[in-house]
Amino acid sequence: QELMRPERHIQLLDDFAEDQLAAILATYQEKYDQFIKLRNLNEKKHQNEKEWAQRVDMLKFQIKEIEAADLHENEDTDLAAERDRLNNFQKIHDALLASYEGINGDEDVSGSIDSIGTAMSSMQDIEDLDPEYKQISDNLSGAFFALQDVASQISDQLSNLEFDQDRLDQVEQRLSTIYQLKHKYGDSVSQILAYLAKIKQELKQMSGDAEANDDLDKQLAGIKKDLIKDAQKITLIRQQFAKKL
């Protein structure tokens, strides 16, 4: 009765040739299951290719835009401070000049350093008469030389102080560029640079995924080729045993 049912012929033949077919059938089934699994994965990935490609294009654009700005750590805060100094040039100049004249005096009024110098000289005349006088004299000397140092620093600042409208324009333009990037990628240059590092890593990963997709296609092709070879072997063995039945 089993022989009268065509759908059972293959199973009966395989049972008859079990010693020859068992191993290769098991291998074939294992490869087939792997092929189906990889094929489903491949189909799913290809369905998302458009979305994946759009993401890659966006990452490349963002990386190019940020790198073109050639940002440096803390550049935004440094430029903002420089802009404030340039915008407050007159205020800074007047404050430095007033401080310098307050210490050194001018043509009409003697400065505090002259007064302290006079007091220092007076105390030096009597410092040997009492330890407390000596302490006062030393304190006045310290104040005198400290004021000299401060006056020298202020003088250097005044000598180097200048207003540069071109530089102010450059700073404003640069800050505008940074502001536009902040609007898109972060609240500070540090955050923008951190975001740049993040998306570069993501793009690298996605490029690796693209290579993995190519490998998956090759892997599927290889398994399919093996399945065809195994199927041919199985068919040949079945044909050989069918002649014996």
Side-chain angles (χ1 to χ4, degrees):
Q1 292 181 346
E2 292 290 334
L3 291 175
M4 299 299 294
R5 298 169 58 188
E7 67 273 13
R8 289 285 296 155
H9 288 179
I10 293 295
Q11 184 60 52
L12 290 171
L13 185 58
D14 289 349
D15 290 342
F16 181 66
E18 182 177 3
D19 292 342
Q20 297 291 328
L21 282 174
I24 192 171
L25 282 173
T27 300
Y28 181 89
Q29 186 63 50
E30 182 179 344
K31 289 181 180 179
Y32 180 77
D33 291 342
Q34 184 182 12
F35 177 81
I36 295 300
K37 181 179 179 180
L38 291 178
R39 187 185 65 182
N40 291 339
L41 177 62
N42 198 39
E43 289 176 352
K44 182 178 180 181
K45 285 190 173 183
H46 283 304
Q47 288 173 357
N48 295 328
E49 276 186 352
K50 183 177 180 180
E51 180 180 344
W52 178 88
Q54 290 174 342
R55 178 63 178 171
V56 168
D57 288 342
M58 184 182 72
L59 290 176
K60 288 181 177 179
F61 171 81
Q62 291 180 345
I63 290 170
K64 182 179 180 180
E65 183 177 36
I66 296 174
E67 288 186 336
D70 191 25
L71 298 174
H72 303 287
E73 197 72 42
N74 300 320
E75 182 180 5
D76 49 344
T77 54
D78 292 342
L79 287 172
E82 183 179 359
R83 178 189 59 189
D84 290 343
R85 289 193 299 271
L86 288 168
N87 280 329
N88 289 279
F89 168 81
Q90 193 61 50
K91 181 179 180 180
I92 293 171
H93 175 272
D94 292 346
L96 289 172
L97 183 60
S99 298
Y100 183 81
E101 290 179 346
I103 295 172
N104 278 349
D106 55 25
E107 295 179 356
D108 300 323
V109 181
S110 62
S112 57
I113 196 168
D114 292 331
S115 299
I116 293 176
T118 300
M120 179 182 67
S121 296
S122 297
M123 290 306 301
Q124 285 175 343
D125 290 340
I126 62 171
E127 64 181 17
D128 294 335
L129 300 178
D130 190 296
E132 290 189 8
Y133 299 161
K134 172 63 174 172
Q135 183 63 52
I136 294 172
S137 176
D138 289 344
N139 290 340
L140 284 170
S141 296
F144 178 81
F145 292 116
L147 276 177
Q148 278 190 327
D149 289 340
V150 171
S152 178
Q153 293 173 17
I154 294 175
S155 178
D156 290 341
Q157 289 289 331
L158 282 169
S159 297
N160 295 326
L161 189 66
E162 62 177 340
F163 179 74
D164 187 339
Q165 182 63 52
D166 290 338
R167 176 56 185 168
L168 178 58
D169 292 341
Q170 291 174 1
V171 170
E172 292 284 11
Q173 181 60 45
R174 182 63 173 168
L175 284 171
S176 176
T177 298
I178 294 174
Y179 174 79
Q180 292 175 19
L181 293 175
K182 283 183 178 181
H183 185 67
K184 296 180 180 179
Y185 306 121
D187 295 332
S188 67
V189 168
S190 295
Q191 289 186 13
I192 295 172
L193 292 175
Y195 179 75
L196 174 62
K198 177 183 176 182
I199 61 176
K200 288 177 75 172
Q201 181 61 35
E202 181 181 351
L203 181 60
K204 181 180 179 181
Q205 180 64 49
M206 293 186 75
S207 298
D209 290 343
E211 294 177 1
N213 285 341
D214 292 339
D215 291 340
L216 182 58
D217 290 334
K218 293 177 182 178
Q219 192 175 356
L220 277 169
I223 295 175
K224 184 176 181 179
K225 185 177 181 180
D226 289 342
L227 285 172
I228 292 173
K229 288 182 179 179
D230 289 346
Q232 291 173 343
K233 291 179 182 179
I234 292 170
T235 299
L236 181 60
I237 293 173
R238 283 171 174 168
Q239 289 174 345
Q240 291 173 348
F241 276 87
K243 294 177 181 179
K244 298 179 182 180
L245 292 178

